[in-house]
Amino acid sequence: MRKKSTKNTLIEMKRRGERIVALTSYDYLSTRIIDETGVDLILVGDSLGMVVLGYENTLPVTVEEIIHHLKAVSRAKPRAVLTGDMPFMSYQASVEDAVRNAGRLVKEGGAESVKIEGGERYVPVVKAIVNASIPVMGHLGLTPQSLYEFGGYKVQGKDAESAERLYRDALSLEEAGCFAIVLEGIPWQLAERITKGVGIPTIGIGAGPHCDGQVLVINDMLGIHDKPLPRFVKKYEEIGQRMKLAIQDYVEEVRGGVFPGMDQSYSAGKEKKADE
Ligand code: KIV
């Protein structure tokens, strides 16, 4: 039986050159299924806002919403490291806010670590959360909470100056105590440089093949979406299409009087079926 994974497991995996697999999850049953596959890290991401709650972007997501879904996910007792995303404005206004909200994700939601977006300017926040004994995962590059600062979802670090800034950001997050860094939407060359330059694992999403690991939003890789997907997503299934076909069959059978039939019906007689 696989041992419970911790942040140290992931750091060891980088040392051994083993690739790390991460995936988002937002509910109990999906988490059970994901965890059975041996994924190393499960993230209750603020992508929750877009793929579950129907928001335009991740900015409206609240601490309460993340905690609500963290609770469902943590009830599945995953072997994977469980990370909760710190939503927009839960850590930007003050270090005290950040520590208190990170504490809520652990204490109320059952998270084992938290993720925050941003580089050097969040070093005091990372240090304070780590000082409160809560492991922190960093997140650099196309960080969706900075949507308005970037002027849209644009690949970051394409020119030499911004690439250098992101490289320094990565070094400062490691120095501040992060146990891993998500690299999102950056050129693969920069992701490779950062991966070689830091001792903690890098987890890529739209950052090419040279990171120590990979994360995807589960809805995207399963094909449950209503918007065009970025090119970095690989769809492993078309579950959305398959759901629609199955539900159309159900609609037709109910309307046509085919379902329910006698096989799905209880009888007043003595002969009992297994579940009566
Ligand atoms: O919110 C999220 O799901 C994320 C991942 C895509 C890294 O931040």
Side-chain angles (χ1 to χ4, degrees), residues 106-169:
V106 173
K107 216 174 153 91
E108 298 173 43
E112 298 157 359
S113 53
V114 300
K115 175 169 82 56
I116 72 164
E117 297 184 6
E120 219 159 358
R121 61 186 167 172
Y122 289 105
V123 161
V125 166
V126 172
K127 282 188 172 165
I129 299 175
V130 170
N131 262 336
S133 304
I134 300 171
V136 179
M137 180 154 78
H139 186 163
L140 292 174
L142 200 186
T143 43
Q145 291 176 18
S146 305
L147 168 68
Y148 295 131
E149 185 183 350
F150 296 155
Y153 295 110
K154 294 180 181 157
V155 174
Q156 300 294 302
K158 284 177 92 168
D159 59 86
E161 196 187 320
S162 62
E164 201 47 43
R165 201 176 324 118
L166 282 168
Y167 184 72
R168 279 203 315 273
D169 280 339

Side-chain angles (χ1 to χ4, degrees), residues 24 26 43 45-47 85 115 117 139 182 184 205 215 217:
T24 67
Y26 316 100
L43 171 68
D46 60 0
S47 49
D85 229 348
K115 175 169 82 56
E117 297 184 6
H139 186 163
V182 171
E184 177 164 359
I205 174 163
V215 62
V217 170

Side-chain angles (χ1 to χ4, degrees), residues 20-201:
I20 296 164
V21 188
L23 200 55
T24 67
S25 188
Y26 316 100
D27 67 86
Y28 169 79
L29 269 181
S30 306
T31 307
R32 292 284 303 266
I33 294 167
I34 293 165
D35 203 49
E36 277 169 20
T37 68
V39 157
D40 304 296
L41 181 139
I42 291 176
L43 171 68
V44 178
D46 60 0
S47 49
L48 163 77
M50 295 169 83
V51 301
V52 177
L53 303 176
Y55 297 145
E56 264 309 299
N57 52 51
T58 60
L59 302 184
V61 175
T62 64
V63 171
E64 274 66 31
E65 286 165 342
I66 291 284
I67 290 175
H68 180 76
H69 287 267
L70 260 172
K71 281 182 170 171
V73 168
S74 62
R75 278 183 207 116
K77 298 189 173 44
R79 285 187 198 291
V81 178
L82 177 54
T83 304
D85 229 348
M86 296 280 283
F88 182 58
M89 290 318 292
S90 68
Y91 59 94
Q92 284 89 345
S94 74
V95 169
E96 287 73 22
D97 267 7
V99 176
R100 206 160 286 122
N101 286 321
R104 288 193 65 197
L105 265 50
V106 173
K107 216 174 153 91
E108 298 173 43
E112 298 157 359
S113 53
V114 300
K115 175 169 82 56
I116 72 164
E117 297 184 6
E120 219 159 358
R121 61 186 167 172
Y122 289 105
V123 161
V125 166
V126 172
K127 282 188 172 165
I129 299 175
V130 170
N131 262 336
S133 304
I134 300 171
V136 179
M137 180 154 78
H139 186 163
L140 292 174
L142 200 186
T143 43
Q145 291 176 18
S146 305
L147 168 68
Y148 295 131
E149 185 183 350
F150 296 155
Y153 295 110
K154 294 180 181 157
V155 174
Q156 300 294 302
K158 284 177 92 168
D159 59 86
E161 196 187 320
S162 62
E164 201 47 43
R165 201 176 324 118
L166 282 168
Y167 184 72
R168 279 203 315 273
D169 280 339
L171 296 183
S172 62
L173 289 181
E174 177 178 26
E175 172 72 23
C178 283
F179 72 91
I181 307 173
V182 171
L183 299 177
E184 177 164 359
I186 62 172
W188 66 263
Q189 295 90 338
L190 174 59
E192 183 178 30
R193 183 174 168 222
I194 294 175
T195 300
K196 287 184 174 153
V198 296
I200 53 174

